[in-house]
Amino acid sequence: MGDLTNSDFYAKNQRNSSSANHEGDFGVSVMELRGLMELRGGEAVVKIQEDYGDMDGLCQRLKTSPTEGLSGDVTDLEKRKEAFGQNLIPPKKPKTFLELIWEALQDVTLIILEVAALISLGLSFYQPPGGDTGDSCGTAAGGGEDEGEAESGWIEGAAILLSVACVVLVTAFNDWSKEKQFRGLQSRIEQEQKFQVVRGAQVIQLPVADIVVGDIAQIKYGDLLPADGVLIQGNDLKIDESSLTGESDHVKKTADRDPMLLSGTHVMEGSGRMLVTAVGVNSQTGIIFTLLGAGEVGEEEKKEKRVKKQDGAAAMEMQPLKSAEGGETEEKKKTNVSKKEKSVLQGKLTKLAVQIGKAGLVMSAITVIILVLYFAVDNFVLQKRPWLTECTPIYVQYFVKFFIIGVTVLVVAVPEGLPLAVTISLAYSVKKMMKDNNLVRHLDACETMGNATAICSDKTGTLTTNRMTAVACYIGDVHYKEIPDPGVLSNKSLDILVNAISLNSAYTTKILPATKEGGLPMQVGNKTECGLLGLVLKLKRDYQPIRNQIPEEKLYKVYTFNSVRKSMSTVIKLPEGGFRMYSKGASEIVLKKCTKILNAEGEPRVFRPRDKDEMVKKVIEPMACDGLRTICVAYRDFPADPEPLWDNENDILNELTAVCVVGIEDPVRPEVPAAIVRCQRAGITVRMVTGDNLNTARAIAMKCGIIHPGEDFLAIDGKEFNRRIRNEKGEVEQERMDKVWPKLRVLARSSPTDKHTLVKGIIDSTLTDQRQVVAVTGDGTNDGPALKKADVGFAMGIAGTDVAKEASDIILTDDNFSSIVKAVMWGRNVYDSISKFLQFQLTVNVVAVIVAFTGACITQDSPLKAVQMLWVNLIMDTFASLALATEPPTEALLMRKPYGRNKPLISSTMTKNILGHGIYQLVIIFSLLFVGEQIFDIDSGRNAPLHSPPSEHYTIIFNTFVLMQLFNEINARKIHGERNVFDGIFRNPIFCSIVFGTFAIQIVIVQLGGKPFSCTPLDLEKWGWCTFLGLGELVWGQVIATIPNSKLRFLRGAGQLTKKNEMPGDEDMNEDNEEIDHAERELRRGQVLWFRGLSRIQTQIDVVNTFKSGSSFQGQLRRQSSTTSQNQDVTNVSSPSHMSLSNALSPTSTAAPAGQC
């Protein structure tokens, strides 16, 4: 369906374009432009020259100006959209409510129930021939049922079907609202993506969807290109095209050799301007989408781009794996859901659900077997009745009843509410986290964040305000502690300095007047450059006239800033002939390349190595110790003849003349020190990883509270870090890394590779009992690999590049460190919410299964009927997950250490609560079942014949059971043994309304439910007793809280319930092949092979589906890329025996504590 609509959309687009082509009278058609964009390199240049003369010719045909862009006239923009299409790929149609209902109906237990109910329904209408079957069929038909009762036999089957319909509708509605929420999130992310274009000679930011063919777009380092285009002018431009071509090498783009720029590719270096030539479905990415059925894949444009990112910036991680993976890829692709998809909690829950499900299956099978055997032995052996053919339907009806009881036990035992609780809890948290400036891109990132043990944070913008201000400088042999008056400086030095700063910075960087009166001027673009432009303004000069004199296209050559150079240089042609190169960058790096320095008169003098050392000691270090970032500005003149070889960078960026060293202050955000204290109290280690000078970084870390005087910590730079962790061959050794990371607090002058190495080293370490869970912040394009490697990657919403955002899990919309602390709080809250729900659900599970099983074996009938069980299931699954998963977080969550990956999901306190409440409920229910009729002086409901009317006895049991669950739900709000279970209950209106709502529905069911619910109305006195027994749960909860865990030795073993399978293999739980092993390890070898066979078949089906639907293509692509990038890091083998073996054999393995393996 999706494919069809999208091809229609596509065809319509084509029709529009061809007709509009004549109307709009553009000198070029969509198809011509598409043909042009399919060419590469020299071919494209030749084609442009042949067809259009040059780039100006193409601009004229598209009625645009290469310097001023489009006019921005609304009718012109509409014409362009009509002629060339809009810059969006039609989204996939959301699943309809009916489709979601159909999906919910696929649940196996529900299908079994439906079949049983239909058989029961069919048999209830069957009337056996003759009237004397009562005697001949024995107990099967006996009992006091009159004709009316027999006729109402259909009610139970119909009621089960109705209940199934209810469950299905609720599930479908939940899925629908989840999808709606996710789409809202997607559209929010997409609306936030803006791009710089030139319109009416002004550079403006436009939402990506508003870009049209003919726009002149300004591209820069870190951009993700939103449309296809042709480069008009570029500076040192390098593009990562791996998302489209699969080639990981960066492609150099120049206007005269290879000007073709494609949508979805990333700008890795440089800057430039491009003419947009194809948008939306006509762009290269759009064409691929259309081939796959655009709507299918276009489901989330953003997601698709993320897939590309995973091919792209992680190329360094992926490259060596392509051959190494061999035949396993196919299987892993299915089993290895990306680490972003399966979190710590989900791993534990999956395993728990498997264990409970298996136990439930065994119990239900035994129940059915016992009931059938008892019936057969009683009738055909003890009473020696013959099997009469006319009685067969009646016997079958009994067997169906037994089967329904068995299935009901299974329905109650299987905790299908778990995924629902997780989803509700995560969706609720994500919605609330938006208000706390956390835009969550991957749902379970917020839950993983609750387990974080380490945060590696950038300095600039995250810990500091990212409002750079020049506060000190060294110029003309004088160290000024404040910015000097321009009068005291020589004009020559001042002119060179002002020109160097104005020209050798991105022209998109500007300082604009304040928006509010009395406010600070607005800094646009690179903040360090803004600080330097601020220096120009403080020296009473203006940078704009200089830029107007030499516009960007007249710059002769630009060496843009990158993490290797750590400097930026711009070459201009001098009017009197020759060239001048202005350079700026990290002071110690640029000073090393200087051989001269300007003196007080502005004349160059020799700058010897010992002068450099003195300058470092007397100028740079004192500035850095005050927390200032030091930038050196320098220049060099070249002769016109012979022209230098500009590509020979090492010779060009040398023999410079230093002009000035500027100290730029970036104040610490006022709220950061308090946030870091909260982190440390919560057991999270904060490390600063920055590209800045070591002294600057140390000073800021002191101000933030990351390090304290007198503590045993490590603050080193990238060079020292690499020296300590690499062996003679230059390879990183985990053993060496383990000696560095535990004390490391500040890593300065670090490259993105260092950041990735550090994150990987901490994650792979086996030093601690628990595997470290690492969160990382990043804003640059090269932070991509580190953001992806981390358990949770935070990208900066304001300063972050598109590439960093694509690689991240959560976007900090305010770039503020204190928002990360809020994410930790929400993450821990999710974990606790799920634990609360588990405590509640497992109590219901244990009691309901034992009651149904024992009751069925002793009285040949479950005290809780199928429909009643379904209602209980609805209470404990849907309603309880809503009630318990929406508890708001409290500060108390940050007062404890992280749970860690190996901590069992069910703590000993929870086990104590589950068993304690289970015992109370079982005692009450069995007392009511066997002596209830005497206590209340009513008829016994035991051994009732088929289709007999509902008894008061069994109604009391059902009512008491439900009310006990209701009051136990209040107990479940606390899982750490707190006494006050009502604490903060009114802060959660959802919880209150669900408890009261359930109570109201229960009254309706008992009083008016009648035959379908097997209920008979109760009087006030009996209601009072039921409520009293329910309230006993709260009192009993206090009794349980009084018993100390230490007294209950067996709880230690019970607490390990989920732990035993999780130990060594879990060290690397983010290596996803472990995930399937958790479940597999419990199964016998034969079952393992069976699972693997199934998994292979599933993978092959997926591959077939890949060619049918785009979305699965994306999923595969994403899974594959994440598999590839992660499998490189798999060091531990899943099974414990292998683990210890690999440790014993590995020469680099750390001496682990004896008990660890």
Side-chain angles (χ1 to χ4, degrees), residues 590-654:
V590 175
L591 279 176
K592 273 182 197 159
K593 297 174 180 173
C594 292
T595 52
K596 294 177 182 165
I597 186 166
L598 295 185
N599 60 16
E601 285 75 46
E603 298 298 330
R605 67 168 171 83
V606 178
F607 190 48
R608 295 181 297 265
R610 70 158 185 266
D611 297 337
K612 292 178 194 173
D613 295 340
E614 196 175 330
M615 188 151 178
V616 168
K617 279 198 189 97
K618 295 199 172 162
V619 178
I620 293 172
E621 283 185 4
M623 279 187 184
C625 289
D626 290 338
L628 304 184
R629 169 181 281 193
T630 54
I631 304 286
C632 179
V633 179
Y635 77 99
R636 179 181 174 184
D637 287 336
F638 296 94
D641 194 33
E643 188 174 328
L645 292 166
W646 298 113
D647 288 339
N648 192 348
E649 234 179 273
N650 291 342
D651 292 346
I652 300 290
L653 298 176
N654 227 326

Side-chain angles (χ1 to χ4, degrees), residues 886-932:
T886 52
E887 290 273 330
T890 60
E891 274 292 323
L893 291 166
L894 293 176
M895 299 295 184
R896 62 166 174 79
K897 301 278 180 277
Y899 280 141
R901 290 175 169 258
N902 304 344
K903 183 183 184 297
L905 195 56
I906 301 166
S907 66
S908 49
T909 310
M910 286 167 65
T911 314
K912 180 179 75 176
N913 289 339
I914 291 166
L915 295 177
H917 289 294
I919 289 165
Y920 172 81
Q921 294 184 13
L922 286 171
V923 167
I924 298 290
I925 284 175
F926 283 134
S927 304
L928 289 175
L929 179 59
F930 296 113
V931 291

Side-chain angles (χ1 to χ4, degrees), residues 871 875 879 962 966 993-1003:
W871 164 236
I875 296 175
F879 296 160
V962 170
L966 212 51
S993 50
I994 280 176
V995 169
F996 287 122
T998 311
F999 193 65
I1001 297 171
Q1002 179 64 15
I1003 293 173

Side-chain angles (χ1 to χ4, degrees), residues 571-820:
V571 181
I572 59 163
K573 220 168 182 171
L574 295 171
E576 60 272 16
F579 302 95
R580 174 168 286 177
M581 178 180 75
Y582 294 114
S583 202
K584 69 162 191 293
S587 53
E588 56 264 55
I589 288 165
V590 175
L591 279 176
K592 273 182 197 159
K593 297 174 180 173
C594 292
T595 52
K596 294 177 182 165
I597 186 166
L598 295 185
N599 60 16
E601 285 75 46
E603 298 298 330
R605 67 168 171 83
V606 178
F607 190 48
R608 295 181 297 265
R610 70 158 185 266
D611 297 337
K612 292 178 194 173
D613 295 340
E614 196 175 330
M615 188 151 178
V616 168
K617 279 198 189 97
K618 295 199 172 162
V619 178
I620 293 172
E621 283 185 4
M623 279 187 184
C625 289
D626 290 338
L628 304 184
R629 169 181 281 193
T630 54
I631 304 286
C632 179
V633 179
Y635 77 99
R636 179 181 174 184
D637 287 336
F638 296 94
D641 194 33
E643 188 174 328
L645 292 166
W646 298 113
D647 288 339
N648 192 348
E649 234 179 273
N650 291 342
D651 292 346
I652 300 290
L653 298 176
N654 227 326
E655 298 178 19
L656 306 176
T657 303
V659 179
C660 168
V661 172
V662 185
I664 296 180
E665 183 183 44
D666 184 10
V668 171
R669 286 178 180 267
E671 63 276 17
V672 161
I676 286 177
V677 169
R678 288 165 76 199
C679 273
Q680 290 163 342
R681 201 172 48 210
I684 300 167
T685 309
V686 182
R687 293 179 176 86
M688 182 199 285
V689 183
T690 176
D692 229 328
N693 172 305
L694 180 55
N695 290 325
T696 309
R698 197 188 277 121
I700 298 285
M702 284 275 197
K703 288 181 185 172
C704 292
I706 291 173
I707 55 179
H708 302 283
E711 272 186 353
D712 183 16
F713 62 82
L714 208 53
I716 52 176
D717 61 12
K719 198 181 276 180
E720 173 66 12
F721 174 68
N722 281 299
R723 191 187 65 71
R724 290 190 183 204
I725 64 167
R726 292 178 190 273
N727 59 18
E728 298 71 37
K729 294 177 188 168
E731 296 161 340
V732 176
E733 283 187 3
Q734 189 61 45
E735 197 173 349
R736 288 169 179 250
M737 173 66 89
D738 285 346
K739 289 177 184 166
V740 175
W741 74 259
K743 289 184 179 177
L744 183 70
R745 293 293 176 272
V746 177
L747 181 58
R749 282 280 176 254
S750 68
S751 67
T753 317
D754 294 339
K755 195 177 199 174
H756 178 264
T757 308
L758 174 65
V759 172
K760 182 179 181 305
I762 298 177
I763 287 177
D764 290 349
S765 174
T766 53
L767 265 188
T768 49
D769 294 345
Q770 306 280 359
R771 181 328 227 141
Q772 294 277 308
V773 179
V774 185
V776 167
T777 69
D779 54 5
T781 299
N782 293 327
D783 287 331
L787 287 169
K788 278 227 326 287
K789 177 68 199 161
D791 295 287
V792 183
F794 284 91
M796 302 298 130
I798 303 166
T801 60
D802 291 343
V803 177
K805 289 177 188 173
E806 296 302 325
S808 70
D809 301 294
I810 298 178
I811 296 172
L812 293 177
T813 51
D814 62 347
D815 288 13
N816 192 338
F817 184 84
S818 57
S819 300
I820 298 177

Side-chain angles (χ1 to χ4, degrees), residues 500-513:
I501 292 173
S502 305
L503 299 173
N504 185 31
S505 55
Y507 278 33
T508 48
T509 303
K510 297 179 182 137
I511 292 184
L512 302 175

